[in-house]
């Protein structure tokens, strides 16, 4: 993918499915339990990648510096975006190199309107730390209805995203970032009768997220074309080898699902 041909001609979506494990994402894909996402994945499969960090704040700082999850195979892997700095071994001819400290600022300099729809606490704008990442964007949104404790959070996030996309002129290129919060603990409310979070409730949360995404992709097609990056920032452990949670070094935390794809502009019949 030559991102120099994409930037400036396409809207950009960066959707992070916060805390989503690769093994859960791939299993549900194979079982037909996430039909909306699967229909968009290249080859109908998630790509396994390695996250640059083990928790949300650190991972997103890396992402916004151009270090998206790395393909889970040896060797140097060209990046889609890079901030200009000396000695980069993963900047290739197809890399969009930005003279900026971060991706959001760099895209704004290329004429993009930048929008953040927050999810987990690092985007909640309630304190200085919670303002760091949203503060990169021209506009940012957070409310409890978008956060981890609302069982309809993805529905609310998508509705807000659609509202903002539809409100902007089609000729205005948009960089839309959404941090989907539903998969993060607590997620037991997506599994009827569950008393605690588990791999099964994590999977149920992903089924819920999948069911809510179609209006978002429809809105992007109306504006189109759009280039989309959908991935997790890190996984989480549910007792594997005695570990629970994340911000730790374990394969279920470091290995994340990743996909990139283009959406054409919808043409009227």
């Amino acid at each position: 993918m030559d991102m120099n041909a994409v930037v400036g001609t396409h809207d950009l979506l960066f959707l992070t499915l916060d805390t989503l494990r690769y093994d859960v994402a791939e299993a549900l894909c194979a079982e037909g339990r996430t039909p909306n996402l699967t229909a968009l994945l290249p080859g109908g499969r998630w790509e396994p990648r390695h996250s640059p960090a083990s928790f949300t704040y650190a991972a997103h700082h890396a992402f916004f510096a151009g270090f998206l999850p790395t393909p889970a195979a040896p060797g140097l892997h060209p990046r889609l975006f890079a901030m200009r700095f000396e000695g980069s071994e993963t900047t290739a001819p197809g890399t969009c190199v930005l003279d900026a400290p971060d991706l959001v600022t760099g895209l704004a300099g290329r004429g993009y309107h930048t929008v953040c729809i927050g999810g987990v606490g690092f985007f909640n704008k309630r304190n200085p730390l919670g303002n760091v990442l949203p503060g990169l964007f021209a506009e940012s949104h957070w409310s409890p209805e978008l956060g981890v404790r609302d069982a309809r959070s993805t529905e609310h996030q998508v509705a807000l995203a659609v509202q903002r996309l539809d409100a902007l002129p089609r000729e205005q290129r948009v960089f839309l970032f959404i941090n989907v919060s539903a998969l993060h603990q607590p997620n037991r409310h997506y599994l009827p009768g569950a008393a605690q979070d588990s791999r099964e409730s994590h999977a149920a949360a992903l089924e819920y997220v999948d069911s809510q995404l179609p209006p978002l992709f429809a809105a992007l097609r109306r504006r189109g074309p759009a280039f989309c990056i959908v991935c997790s920032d890190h996984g989480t452990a549910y007792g594997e080898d005695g570990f629970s949670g994340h911000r730790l070094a374990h394969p279920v935390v470091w290995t994340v699902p990743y996909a990139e794809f283009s959406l054409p502009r919808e043409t009227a019949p």
Side-chain angles (χ1 to χ4, degrees):
M1 179 64 68
D2 183 359
M3 292 307 293
N4 296 296
V6 170
V7 171
T9 62
H10 290 58
D11 285 341
L12 301 173
L13 170 70
F14 185 20
L15 184 71
T16 55
L17 304 174
D18 202 289
T19 318
L20 176 59
R21 292 167 51 138
Y22 171 76
D23 59 349
V24 171
E26 182 63 8
L28 266 62
C29 180
E31 295 165 10
R33 294 167 62 186
T34 52
N36 297 305
L37 281 167
T38 300
L40 296 170
L41 302 179
R45 298 287 300 274
W46 290 103
E47 178 187 355
R49 290 202 175 194
H50 293 151
S51 176
S54 61
F55 71 110
T56 299
Y57 188 74
H60 283 80
H61 267 294
F63 294 164
F64 292 149
F67 298 97
L68 297 172
T70 306
L76 296 174
H77 301 280
R79 291 184 288 135
L80 298 181
F81 300 98
M83 306 310 109
R84 191 180 303 281
F85 73 101
E86 296 76 10
S88 171
E89 295 184 324
T90 52
T91 299
T95 303
C96 177
V97 180
L98 300 167
D99 291 297
D102 61 83
L103 176 62
V104 187
T105 304
L107 290 173
R110 297 286 186 94
Y112 279 79
H113 180 64
T114 60
V115 182
C116 169
I117 296 179
V120 304
F122 290 117
F123 298 93
N124 68 15
K125 302 170 67 172
R126 287 180 162 179
N127 48 62
L129 182 62
N131 274 282
V132 172
L133 296 171
L136 299 173
F137 292 80
E139 68 170 277
S140 58
H141 304 269
W142 190 88
S143 68
E145 291 74 22
L146 310 179
V148 298
R149 296 190 179 279
D150 194 304
R152 297 171 60 195
S153 60
T154 308
E155 176 188 348
H156 300 314
Q157 289 179 306
V158 167
L160 178 56
V162 170
Q163 179 189 68
R164 296 305 305 133
L165 288 170
D166 287 348
L168 292 165
R170 284 187 173 180
E171 62 271 17
Q172 171 65 63
R173 295 298 90 193
V174 177
F175 173 48
L176 172 63
F177 166 76
I178 307 176
N179 174 253
V180 173
S181 62
L183 293 138
H184 195 283
Q185 296 92 324
N187 52 44
R188 64 190 73 114
H189 43 262
Y190 296 108
L191 189 64
Q196 60 185 12
D197 296 337
S198 64
R199 190 181 184 279
E200 291 70 30
S201 63
H202 187 82
L206 179 57
E207 287 186 283
Y208 161 73
V209 170
D210 182 81
S211 73
Q212 300 302 311
L213 292 178
L216 171 63
F217 294 115
L220 288 165
R221 287 189 177 97
R222 286 195 296 273
R223 292 179 50 86
F227 181 78
C228 306
I229 300 167
V230 182
C231 66
S232 175
D233 52 347
H234 58 81
T236 198
Y238 291 104
E240 291 83 3
D241 299 312
F243 289 103
S244 295
H246 39 271
R247 201 164 58 84
L248 53 91
H250 191 280
V252 299
V253 174
W254 289 107
T255 307
V256 297
Y258 178 92
E260 59 190 53
F261 51 88
S262 296
L263 296 175
R265 182 171 178 176
E266 182 182 68
T267 56

